[in-house]
Amino acid sequence: MKFAIVGYGRVGARTADILSTEGHEVVIVEVDEPKAQTAADEGHTVVKGNGEDERVLDRIGLDDTDAIAALTSDLNVNFTACMIAAGHDCRTVLRIDEDYREEIYQKYAADVDEVVYPERMGAAGAKTALLGGDLNVLGDLTEHLTATSLEIPEGSPVVGRRVVELDLPGRTRVYAHGRRREPMTIPLPQTAIESGDRIALIAEQASLDDVRSVLHG
């Protein structure tokens, strides 16, 4: 899949690295020259410019971009980028910082697909550590397993088969399914796969290429 990330700060950089590792195409939009250069040095495709400028986002190729994550610290930039991308039928993910009031959250959340709070995620991890939880368990798991989603292309050999009948390489498990541009849900026993569907799965890192081969044909 192809993803655009607006903002190559701490959150954007980590997100881009994970997506790239999983084999997805990632385009970074960054206005800050040193950050843009860092992204380029890491091997990412970079579009230099402000994420709220439609002319800049047009250079991404939004019509063939599956989703955009606007992850800068500026809510106005994030929201504008999401609205521009939504006009091209992209899935939109908006970063909101913790200090915004609930009514602000409600105002913005109604117009995007997902809202993320980096500070809240970090706080949850810190609380778990303080209470004696072992965060290394998750780290050890994700060294070998990854959660990802794949789109079923036209002509795939699995089109027409039921989701529950999929036999995928390694320890791969399907946990959600969705039609094109629709929310993902737990697949029902009778749910059949159509071209353009998305399959969310957990797989061993080493098995991802084999899983793609089965699903893509």
Side-chain angles (χ1 to χ4, degrees), residues 10-202:
R10 175 178 53 85
V11 179
R14 180 59 178 154
T15 304
D17 289 344
I18 293 171
L19 290 171
S20 294
T21 298
E22 293 180 356
H24 299 291
E25 180 182 356
V26 179
V27 180
I28 305 296
V29 178
E30 178 56 64
V31 68
D32 181 79
E33 181 66 34
K35 290 181 180 179
Q37 186 59 54
T38 298
D41 291 343
E42 290 295 324
H44 298 299
T45 300
V46 179
V47 172
K48 297 179 183 178
N50 196 314
E52 61 183 343
D53 187 334
E54 187 166 3
R55 294 168 299 179
V56 171
L57 294 186
D58 281 344
R59 289 157 54 195
I60 296 172
L62 287 174
D63 288 335
D64 64 355
T65 298
D66 294 284
I68 187 169
L71 303 176
T72 78
S73 58
D74 189 323
L75 177 56
N76 290 324
V77 170
N78 293 346
F79 184 71
T80 302
C82 285
M83 292 302 94
I84 293 170
H88 294 261
D89 204 23
C90 294
R91 178 173 174 79
T92 53
V93 177
L94 172 75
R95 171 183 174 174
I96 292 183
D97 291 332
E98 185 69 23
D99 56 355
Y100 283 102
R101 300 186 303 276
E102 181 66 20
E103 60 268 26
I104 298 295
Y105 161 76
Q106 295 294 344
K107 172 184 175 182
Y108 287 95
D111 292 318
V112 299
D113 293 306
E114 294 289 346
V115 171
V116 294
Y117 293 88
E119 292 83 356
R120 183 176 295 178
M121 295 174 184
K127 182 194 75 171
T128 300
L130 286 168
L131 293 174
D134 186 1
L135 296 181
N136 290 327
V137 171
L138 182 60
D140 293 341
L141 173 67
T142 54
E143 280 189 11
H144 304 287
L145 299 179
T146 184
T148 189
S149 64
L150 298 174
E151 183 172 328
I152 306 299
E154 187 174 352
S156 166
V158 302
V159 169
R161 294 176 58 185
R162 293 188 299 158
V163 178
V164 295
E165 293 176 338
L166 289 178
D167 184 16
L168 299 175
R171 294 185 292 163
T172 303
R173 296 292 181 270
V174 175
Y175 65 88
H177 162 272
R179 302 296 184 201
R180 186 188 299 270
R181 306 303 182 190
E182 292 183 1
M184 284 192 171
T185 60
I186 297 174
L188 298 174
Q190 67 271 24
T191 301
I193 299 172
E194 300 176 2
S195 61
D197 287 0
R198 289 179 299 133
I199 300 290
L201 49 84
I202 295 176

